[in-house]
């Protein structure tokens, strides 16, 4: 006896939610291989929901122990929950598709939407003219779906300039930047643990540009490192007249405030 053409009711052997009707010829055989096989109104089906995700081999056996088989894969749709991108990314980005079953489509209820191609999963983050926005996208395949929240966010700094003395302690940078999770770079920048710092002692007094990058966006902070030099030592007698310090030994940079024993407040002397 020859089993003739075991076929499914669809050309695909990959499903997520659908019941698959099983056809075989000649009639009179028995289907086996999974507890998810059931009959209804004289027809035989494989329930993807009952089976759960995995690879299954179903067997059709005729009297006389003639056997043929067909393979079915049950998949799940599990999209990553969150994606942060730059509103200036151009021209389009590809939405995350790792682990997703091929053949599904993306959709969105937003108007306007950044979704460019539902099949290829391309997204245009510039759709709002470079402004920040959030959009929820849904990936669907064979009755299964999951959502991805796309957060289109530009990098921002709470201040664009930093002035610091060369002998000051390292300045933490994380509190200046949004969104979190990006990277700082530039002369004097170092990563200590999970936080970025600017160490003025590691560079010479000068102006520097520190860059914060996240999601393809970059913001720049101008950092100025000032030298600090009180000037040459001054030797005076206790009977000498009051004098102005900076006229004898100018400090660098000027404009600071002197403190200490004998200093007249506000006089720089």
């Amino acid at each position: 006896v020859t089993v003739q053409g075991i076929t499914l009711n669809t050309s695909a052997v990959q499903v997520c939610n659908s019941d698959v009707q099983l056809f075989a010829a000649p009639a009179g055989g028995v289907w086996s291989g999974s507890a998810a096989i059931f009959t209804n109104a004289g027809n035989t089906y494989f329930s993807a929901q009952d089976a759960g995700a995995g690879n299954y081999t179903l067997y059709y056996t005729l009297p006389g122990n003639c056997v043929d088989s067909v393979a079915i894969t049950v998949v799940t749709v599990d999209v990553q929950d969150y994606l942060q991108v730059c509103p200036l990314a151009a021209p389009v980005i590809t939405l995350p598709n790792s682990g997703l079953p091929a053949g599904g489509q993306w959709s969105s209820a937003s108007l306007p939407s950044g979704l460019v191609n539902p099949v290829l999963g391309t997204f245009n983050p510039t759709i709002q003219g470079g402004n920040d926005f959030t959009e929820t996208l849904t990936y669907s395949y064979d009755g299964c779906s999951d959502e991805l929240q796309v957060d289109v966010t530009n990098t921002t700094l709470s201040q664009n300039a930093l002035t610091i003395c060369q002998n000051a302690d390292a300045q933490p940078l994380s509190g200046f930047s949004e969104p979190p999770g990006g990277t700082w770079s530039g002369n004097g920048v170092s990563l200590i643990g999970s936080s970025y710092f600017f160490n003025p002692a590691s560079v010479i007094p000068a102006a520097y540009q520190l860059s914060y990058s996240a999601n393809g966006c970059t913001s720049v902070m101008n950092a100025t490192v000032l030298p600090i030099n009180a000037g040459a030592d001054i030797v005076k007698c206790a009977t000498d007249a009051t004098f102005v310090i900076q006229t004898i030994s100018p400090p660098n940079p000027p404009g600071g405030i002197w403190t200490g024993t004998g200093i007249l407040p506000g006089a720089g002397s």
Side-chain angles (χ1 to χ4, degrees):
V1 177
T2 301
V3 178
Q4 301 173 355
I6 296 179
T7 58
L8 302 177
N9 64 331
T10 175
S11 59
V13 293
Q14 178 175 279
V15 293
C16 183
N17 190 55
S18 297
D19 290 337
V20 181
Q21 187 171 358
L22 305 174
F23 295 97
V30 176
W31 284 98
S32 62
S34 171
I37 296 173
F38 68 99
T39 58
N40 183 26
N43 297 315
T44 304
Y45 300 87
F46 172 81
S47 171
Q49 286 189 9
D50 291 344
N55 298 311
Y56 299 88
T57 301
L58 308 183
Y59 300 92
Y60 183 72
T61 305
L62 287 168
N65 204 32
C66 292
V67 181
D68 205 350
S69 63
V70 63
I72 297 178
T73 299
V74 180
V75 296
T76 58
V77 173
D78 186 12
V79 183
Q80 71 179 59
D81 295 331
Y82 183 75
L83 176 67
Q84 201 169 58
V85 297
C86 178
L88 305 178
V92 294
I93 64 168
T94 300
L95 296 171
N97 56 14
S98 176
L100 293 180
Q105 288 198 15
W106 291 93
S107 62
S108 173
S110 299
L111 290 174
S113 171
L115 185 61
V116 176
N117 189 311
V119 176
L120 297 179
T122 51
F123 184 84
N124 179 10
T126 68
I127 194 68
Q128 301 281 12
N131 297 319
D132 295 357
F133 68 98
T134 300
E135 183 170 349
T136 299
L137 302 171
T138 301
Y139 187 81
S140 301
Y141 176 84
D142 187 42
C144 297
S145 63
D146 197 16
E147 292 183 344
L148 165 68
Q149 180 175 307
V150 179
D151 186 9
V152 182
T153 305
N154 205 341
T155 51
T156 58
L157 300 177
S158 59
Q159 64 184 60
N160 295 319
L162 173 67
T163 300
I164 189 170
C165 290
Q166 189 182 25
N167 64 347
D169 292 337
Q171 171 68 54
L173 298 173
S174 301
F176 295 125
S177 54
E178 289 290 340
T183 58
W184 283 91
S185 61
N187 291 332
V189 174
S190 59
L191 179 64
I192 303 176
S194 59
S195 299
Y196 285 90
F197 291 82
F198 176 67
N199 183 7
S202 67
V203 296
I204 62 173
Y208 299 93
Q209 284 194 332
L210 312 181
S211 298
Y212 180 72
S213 300
N215 318 318
C217 288
T218 299
S219 295
V220 175
M221 173 185 287
N222 295 311
T224 301
V225 178
L226 300 177
I228 185 68
N229 186 342
D233 292 343
I234 301 173
V235 178
K236 289 285 185 176
C237 292
T239 56
D240 288 343
T242 299
F243 63 92
V244 178
I245 296 174
Q246 51 261 44
T247 62
I248 300 175
S249 180
N252 186 24
I257 298 175
W258 286 97
T259 59
T261 303
I263 296 295
L264 301 179
S269 59

